[in-house]
Amino acid sequence: MTDATLATAKTETPEHGVQLTEAAADKVARLLEQEGRDDLRLRLAVQPGGCSGLVYQLYFDERELDGDAIVEFGPGVEVIVDRMSGPYLEGAVIDFEDSIQKQGFTIDNPNAAGSCACGDSFH
């Protein structure tokens, strides 16, 4: 590797295996437009808690932390995942549902072995 190639490889942001459906990307874009900010990203993280051991955190974040992985899903729509959450979220799909029965973001995670009755936590 040349010095220039090595420098580029060191500064590239890693990517993650989380997917965002078109419906979810459209909703994120609309929410960001309402906020009037172009410096926010959708952050998906896994934290200890809940009755099954782990809970999802889904929120807008302006920070980029060391080890974060970022993937862009259209103009201005980026999903960021921290280094520790990445393995728990590999292959997960974020969707947005808007029906009579339910409105909100959902996370389909193939790594979740089980979840609690409330559906807010998993293991």
Side-chain angles (χ1 to χ4, degrees), residues 12-76:
E12 286 183 10
T13 304
E15 292 190 353
H16 54 73
V18 175
Q19 295 299 310
L20 193 66
T21 66
E22 189 175 329
D26 289 344
K27 183 62 176 179
V28 169
R30 287 193 307 260
L31 290 170
L32 289 171
E33 187 177 311
Q34 287 175 359
E35 288 292 319
R37 296 185 53 186
D38 60 2
D39 63 332
L40 296 175
R41 296 177 177 101
L42 185 67
R43 181 177 289 277
L44 176 60
V46 173
Q47 300 290 322
C51 40
S52 287
L54 297 169
V55 293
Y56 297 111
Q57 299 288 317
L58 187 66
Y59 57 96
F60 288 120
D61 196 354
E62 63 205 15
R63 302 168 300 150
E64 184 176 332
L65 306 174
D66 187 39
D68 280 346
I70 303 169
V71 174
E72 186 172 347
F73 294 92

Side-chain angles (χ1 to χ4, degrees), residues 71-118:
V71 174
E72 186 172 347
F73 294 92
V77 177
E78 294 177 317
V79 175
I80 191 166
V81 174
D82 65 86
R83 180 184 347 206
M84 300 302 283
S85 298
Y88 294 103
L89 298 169
E90 188 66 30
V93 177
I94 303 171
D95 195 11
F96 184 78
E97 189 175 332
D98 190 5
S99 67
I100 291 174
Q101 294 178 319
K102 183 178 182 180
Q103 181 182 34
F105 289 98
T106 61
I107 301 168
D108 180 19
N109 186 353
N111 302 302
S115 63
C116 62
C118 69

